[in-house]
Amino acid sequence: EAGVTQSPTHLIKTRGQQATLRCSPISGHTSVYWYQQALGLGLQFLLWYDEGEERNRGNFPPRFSGRQFPNYSSELNVNALELEDSALYLCASSWPWDRADYGYTFGSGTRLTVV
Amino acid sequence: DQQVKQNSPSLSVQEGRISILNCDYTNSMFDYFLWYKKYPAEGPTFLISISSIKDKNEDGRFTVFLNKSAKHLSLHIVPSQPGDSAVYFCAASAGNQFYFGTGTSLTVIP
């Protein structure tokens, strides 16, 4: 069974540009979560999608947005990039409304560097 | 508002000794707790869990303790091995969404 896959692995952007990060959940998982791990910080919750809808949003500005497609894959968009957006962005997936004993399954992340 | 806190950013332990990682939470509705382990450039992986109906769960060298009255959980690793060197995150949930702590970087010294 394929795990959660994220692309690209690394992304370098210039301040002010837009970044698009992609995530494919485990087959059968309909919930997708996005987290930001900035240097020296923990996992900051960004967004939760389920069945194509945004279920919850963390304390991030509106330039962080995303969507979930009919096949449950998801995209995270970051507009007007700032230097402090440089971080590891992690995607996780889970079963819908049914908490698994092991919580979420995470992908390996996309390392975004803003220069 | 950080509902799950890990107050020790780092911990160093000699190989063979016990590692104790701590986690505090504020939401009394949390009823399920997890520990994740994360290596650099990888996503976190599930390590061990505990339900609020228990106060201890053991899996090999890893034991998680839950003190509901103190809203505190801890992870014990005995004996610690160099391969245990990683960042450990605790997480708590009251439904489908998990809230993560800030992580503790464990270094096991050979």
Side-chain angles (χ1 to χ4, degrees):
Chain A
E1 179 186 84
V4 177
T5 56
Q6 291 187 245
S7 63
T9 306
H10 294 86
L11 189 58
I12 300 176
K13 291 285 187 178
T14 304
R15 192 170 48 184
Q17 285 188 315
Q18 179 197 38
T20 298
L21 289 65
R22 296 179 176 82
C23 172
S24 292
I26 286 177
S27 178
H29 286 188
T30 65
S31 278
V32 171
Y33 308 83
W34 287 95
Y35 286 84
Q36 181 197 66
Q37 186 187 17
L39 192 63
L41 298 178
L43 299 177
Q44 304 295 314
F45 169 68
L46 271 163
L47 291 159
W48 169 20
Y49 290 97
D50 185 71
E51 295 288 355
E53 293 191 15
E54 183 180 301
R55 300 295 185 183
N56 199 6
R57 182 183 181 85
N59 189 25
F60 280 83
R63 57 191 186 82
F64 286 84
S65 65
R67 53 180 173 166
Q68 187 178 34
F69 299 98
N71 66 354
Y72 304 116
S73 66
S74 177
E75 216 172 66
L76 174 69
N77 294 295
V78 188
N79 294 319
L81 284 165
E82 299 178 3
L83 296 178
E84 51 264 34
D85 296 333
S86 295
L88 180 67
Y89 289 82
L90 291 162
C91 172
S93 72
S94 74
W95 298 104
W97 305 109
D98 182 15
R99 187 176 61 194
D101 289 346
Y102 55 84
Y104 305 155
T105 303
F106 282 87
S108 297
T110 293
R111 171 69 63 184
L112 173 64
T113 303
V114 183
V115 298
Chain B
D1 180 30
Q2 190 75 30
Q3 298 190 59
V4 180
K5 298 179 183 179
Q6 293 175 256
N7 293 319
S8 298
S10 62
L11 175 68
S12 290
V13 172
Q14 287 290 135
E15 180 178 3
R17 305 295 290 269
I18 184 172
S19 295
I20 300 176
L21 293 87
N22 295 303
C23 179
D24 296 296
Y25 60 96
T26 57
N27 189 341
S28 58
M29 298 299 292
F30 287 148
D31 63 353
Y32 199 72
F33 305 88
L34 304 172
W35 283 94
Y36 284 86
K37 180 178 178 179
K38 183 182 183 301
Y39 293 114
E42 294 183 12
T45 55
F46 169 77
L47 187 59
I48 192 168
S49 64
I50 189 166
S51 163
S52 61
I53 62 173
K54 292 185 168 183
D55 55 19
K56 176 183 173 181
N57 188 27
E58 201 169 345
D59 183 3
R61 297 185 297 114
F62 302 91
T63 303
V64 56
F65 295 92
L66 176 62
N67 183 332
K68 290 185 288 295
S69 60
K71 295 191 180 66
H72 177 84
L73 70 156
S74 61
L75 174 68
H76 292 208
I77 307 173
V78 184
S80 301
Q81 299 174 354
D84 296 330
S85 296
V87 176
Y88 290 79
F89 291 98
C90 64
S93 81
N96 203 47
Q97 184 168 347
F98 282 90
Y99 296 86
F100 287 83
T102 48
T104 296
S105 178
L106 173 65
T107 301
V108 180
I109 304 163

